[in-house]
Amino acid sequence: MTDLVEQDAAAVAPSPGSNGAAKSRVRSEAFARRLRARHAAERRFRLAGAAAVALAALMLVVLLGSIVAKGSTAFWEARIRLEVTLDPAEVAERNYTPLLRRALHAQFPQVTDRAGKRVLNDLLSSGAPYELEAMVAKNPALVGTTLTVWVRADDEIDQLVKGRYRRDLPESERGLSDAKIAAADALLASGALAQGFNTTLFTAGDSREPEQAGIGGAIVGSLLTLLVTMALSVPVGISAAVYLEEFAPKNRWTDLIEVNINNLAAVPSIIFGLLGLAVFLGFFGMPRSAPLVGGLVMALMTLPVIIISARVALKAVPPSIREAALGIGASPLQTVLHHVLPLAMPGILTGTIIGMARALGETAPLLMIGMVAFIVDVPHGLTDSATVLPVQIYMWADSPERAFTERTSAAILILLGVLILLNGTAVILRKIFERRW
């Protein structure tokens, strides 16, 4: 009986070979499950990354689309055609406003009451008489003749032509009277009201009247500020980088300088504005709201960026270049100036252009030194009162008039275009002159 039980147990118990195969199969299945889990996790990670990129791209498209939709119309302006008779007596007294109003009233002979004429007068921009005066000053032979002129329309009429006013709203909610709309429609029907390219946007300075406001003064102010910034920060920054990387002894003092340079690159820009306010304006008494002071402040802000990028470019030059130059008898200065610096110049140019692009887009430091002033005239020198493009955008964005909204968006488009151009130039220069060691 005992022998039979032992034989049955032996028959039921698995053999050592079959037990090992089962364990191997279990391990293989567990490995396959872990592998499938890792692959699934990788797919989820890729999908999450693709979704994040798509969301960022969508938000960028929405942002740029909104800016373009609001700002593209600012590059066009409404103008009114008038048959103006230049009466010598009126011209001698510089009374150009009555000349324009009589010409406009002549197109509406049915309007005889004072209120109706006041509505017609409001169709013209307050700067229209100055346009006519500039024409006469350019060609005095026009006095005494009748000529056809296109003068700027009021900003409300300009916005009406561009479809910014909803005609289906009641007059009390629309912000534009029915009489003005009827007069503008009559001019549109006769072809006396049309749109043309807005040259004022690029040539004029700031103005309280939206149709007369332009970014010409801000562009010139930005160029003058960048000119001072480049003249100071580029040579000083490159010289400091060359000294620290090639000639300075490695001790605790140079380590302290390097740490402080890296810290200055991360300092908020408004701190540099406070420094400029206290030192350049308060201590040295330099002119407020001048491109000279703005350039000095921007130079202090971009100097650490240029030094760091220039040092990185110098480090990228292989030591063999230096050793070869020294081996053929070149002095350390000749080695740096004739061999190392030219090879590092693409990286230095890239860092410099990026630093200038950052300076062009800064607003906070310039607000502290008074470049937020209302500047009507285009500056002609480094000490003239001026503003810059980002500050101009900031001031227009705070204006309540409807027409300033599109001008703000147009100025943003121009600023973005300049920044993209500068950064694109940096990339192209790096690709052209870059050397791989």
Side-chain angles (χ1 to χ4, degrees):
M1 189 66 174
T2 304
D3 293 338
L4 293 174
V5 173
E6 291 178 354
Q7 290 176 3
D8 293 340
V12 174
S15 64
S18 62
N19 189 23
K23 289 181 178 179
S24 177
R25 187 165 54 253
V26 170
R27 286 196 298 267
S28 178
E29 291 176 355
F31 176 76
R33 286 195 300 271
R34 289 195 298 269
L35 186 60
R36 288 193 298 269
R38 288 199 298 267
H39 288 171
E42 183 179 356
R43 286 193 296 270
R44 290 194 298 269
F45 181 77
R46 289 182 177 180
L47 288 175
V53 172
L55 180 61
L58 177 62
M59 297 303 294
L60 180 62
V61 170
V62 171
L63 174 63
L64 292 179
S66 175
I67 295 174
V68 171
K70 292 180 181 179
S72 58
T73 55
F75 297 100
W76 306 92
E77 63 177 355
R79 288 185 166 270
I80 299 176
R81 185 187 63 203
L82 299 175
E83 300 291 333
V84 181
T85 300
L86 295 175
D87 184 9
E90 298 281 5
V91 172
E93 297 293 331
R94 300 181 63 184
N95 291 329
Y96 293 95
T97 301
L99 299 178
L100 293 172
R101 290 180 176 178
R102 283 197 293 267
L104 182 59
H105 297 167
Q107 299 189 39
F108 297 88
Q110 72 278 12
V111 178
T112 57
D113 60 299
R114 181 176 297 179
K117 290 183 177 181
R118 187 180 299 112
V119 170
L120 295 179
N121 296 339
D122 291 339
L123 300 180
L124 295 174
S125 168
S126 59
Y130 300 104
E131 292 184 74
L132 184 59
E133 183 178 6
M135 295 179 192
V136 174
K138 187 176 181 180
N139 186 8
L142 295 175
V143 179
T145 64
T146 300
L147 69 155
T148 302
V149 296
W150 288 87
V151 293
R152 196 177 297 114
D154 184 68
D155 64 290
E156 291 183 343
I157 303 303
D158 179 70
Q159 296 298 296
L160 177 68
V161 173
K162 295 173 181 176
R164 301 294 185 184
Y165 283 98
R166 291 182 55 184
R167 295 172 178 260
D168 57 336
L169 292 176
E171 183 178 6
S172 58
E173 299 179 11
R174 191 190 310 124
L176 188 64
S177 66
D178 293 334
K180 271 192 177 182
I181 294 178
D185 289 341
L187 291 175
L188 283 171
S190 64
L193 178 60
Q195 293 190 71
F197 185 72
N198 189 3
T199 57
T200 306
L201 182 65
F202 299 94
T203 58
D206 200 4
S207 175
R208 301 294 184 192
E209 302 297 331
E211 74 276 6
Q212 301 179 45
I215 59 173
I219 291 176
V220 174
S222 297
L223 292 177
L224 293 175
T225 302
L226 284 183
L227 179 64
V228 176
T229 303
M230 289 184 62
L232 294 175
S233 62
V234 173
V236 174
I238 295 176
S239 301
V242 169
Y243 174 76
L244 290 174
E245 190 62 32
E246 302 292 337
F247 299 105
K250 303 302 179 182
N251 52 40
R252 61 179 182 178
W253 296 111
T254 55
D255 292 340
L256 180 63
I257 292 174
E258 292 176 4
V259 169
N260 280 279
I261 290 175
N262 293 329
N263 290 335
L264 284 174
V267 169
S269 58
I270 196 169
I271 302 300
F272 293 97
L274 292 171
L275 176 65
L277 177 64
V279 177
F280 300 132
L281 298 184
F283 184 77
F284 290 104
M286 301 181 75
R288 192 178 185 88
S289 187
L292 177 61
V293 181
L296 290 172
V297 173
M298 292 293 102
L300 293 176
M301 189 189 69
T302 57
L303 196 57
V305 177
I306 295 176
I307 293 175
I308 293 173
S309 62
R311 292 194 65 189
V312 171
L314 291 169
K315 284 181 181 179
V317 178
S320 57
I321 300 295
R322 300 173 177 84
E323 295 168 359
L326 294 172
I328 61 175
S331 67
L333 182 60
Q334 290 174 329
T335 300
V336 172
L337 295 182
H338 298 167
H339 301 280
V340 178
L341 194 58
L343 295 176
M345 193 54 67
I348 295 175
L349 285 177
T350 301
T352 300
I353 294 175
I354 292 175
M356 293 301 105
R358 180 192 173 190
L360 179 62
E362 284 291 343
T363 305
L366 303 179
L367 295 179
M368 299 304 300
I369 61 171
M371 294 192 79
V372 71
F374 178 75
I375 307 299
V376 177
D377 298 324
V378 177
H380 296 90
L382 297 177
T383 57
D384 293 343
S385 295
T387 188
V388 293
L389 201 51
V391 177
Q392 188 69 75
I393 293 172
Y394 167 77
M395 291 191 296
W396 280 355
D398 198 41
S399 299
E401 288 85 352
R402 187 191 301 262
F404 273 124
T405 302
E406 66 173 13
R407 275 168 166 71
T408 302
S409 299
I412 292 173
L413 287 176
I414 295 172
L415 180 59
L416 286 176
V418 174
L419 293 177
I420 291 173
L421 179 63
L422 289 176
N423 286 279
T425 303
V427 173
I428 292 172
L429 289 177
R430 190 172 186 85
K431 291 293 183 181
I432 292 175
F433 298 106
E434 185 179 25
R435 293 190 180 185
R436 297 188 180 273
W437 307 101

